[in-house]
Amino acid sequence: MATNTARSTGPLLLAVVSGLLHLLVGSFYVAGGLVIPGSVLVPLWMLWLLLTAWLVWLAVRGSWWTPLVPAVAAVVFAVVLVVGEQAFDWQA
């Protein structure tokens, strides 16, 4: 009796691209130390790591939602940076 247990390569390929995008966004998180104070930066890095774990969990499950992770990471970083610059006068 044959069973079809092979996974589609679509979600896996999308997860790999999402992972690369998440690493790209992570480079901005690292460079954010030039503008963002450490008391905000460390929790931001922890959030990025949590989002990384979520990306891996989605990828293992074969989910098509993996592109959401780097998008959320990018939006959170942009919001923190803009609010910090406007409200707290963060400057490089």
Side-chain angles (χ1 to χ4, degrees):
M1 181 174 356
T3 59
N4 188 6
T5 59
R7 290 187 179 186
S8 171
T9 57
L12 180 60
L13 182 61
L14 189 60
V16 169
V17 171
S18 298
L20 292 173
L21 287 173
H22 192 60
L23 285 174
L24 178 66
V25 172
S27 69
F28 287 96
Y29 276 62
V30 171
L34 297 171
V35 178
I36 302 171
S39 61
V40 177
L41 193 61
V42 171
L44 201 56
W45 286 342
M46 291 187 328
L47 174 66
W48 186 85
L49 290 173
L50 183 67
L51 289 171
T52 302
W54 184 37
L55 176 62
V56 170
W57 182 77
L58 287 172
V60 167
R61 293 179 53 88
S63 175
W64 288 93
W65 288 97
T66 53
L68 184 63
V69 176
V72 167
V75 168
V76 166
F77 182 76
V79 167
V80 166
L81 195 59
V82 168
V83 168
E85 287 177 346
Q86 297 296 319
F88 304 112
D89 200 30
W90 295 344
Q91 294 180 3

